[in-house]
Amino acid sequence: MAEIFEIGMVLCFGASWPFNVIRAYKARTAKGTSLLFTLLIEIGYISAIIGKFVAAHNASVSGESYWNAVKIIAFIFYWINLAMVSAGLIIYFRNKKLDAKAAAQKAE
């Protein structure tokens, strides 16, 4: 049952990331974007993925089966969300370059 709520959390977060990435891409500026926040989210997803591997390993050591359909679905969505946050990081650095370029043109 806990995995169902975990999937709900991951789906809600996952549904919000595309909107964030599209907004940042269209904005063409890094202003208003927190690099620290995004990095912390990225580290959180990486930690969750590592946690799934550790739990699977611990279960296999004790002879139990860990993976079931619900856990696999949650695991897949962690990877999708990690990819979306990574895209957001790439766009952040792209936008930082655009901000620097705009500032240089304004200074001329």
Side-chain angles (χ1 to χ4, degrees), residues 20-31:
N20 181 276
V21 168
I22 291 167
R23 183 202 55 82
Y25 183 80
K26 288 180 178 179
R28 299 180 61 85
T29 182
K31 294 175 184 165

Side-chain angles (χ1 to χ4, degrees), residues 53-68:
F53 281 123
V54 169
H57 173 73
N58 291 343
S60 69
V61 167
S62 64
E64 300 171 20
S65 175
Y66 176 78
W67 295 108
N68 61 37

Side-chain angles (χ1 to χ4, degrees), residues 9-27 41 45 77 79-89 91:
M9 181 272 305
V10 175
L11 283 174
C12 289
F13 280 20
S16 65
W17 283 115
F19 295 113
N20 181 276
V21 168
I22 291 167
R23 183 202 55 82
Y25 183 80
K26 288 180 178 179
I41 297 295
Y45 283 128
F77 279 108
W79 280 102
I80 292 169
N81 289 354
L82 180 63
M84 292 303 299
V85 176
S86 297
L89 283 172
I91 291 168

Side-chain angles (χ1 to χ4, degrees), residues 19 56 72 75 78 91 104 106 108:
F19 295 113
I72 291 171
F75 185 73
Y78 277 122
I91 291 168
K106 188 176 181 179
E108 291 176 356

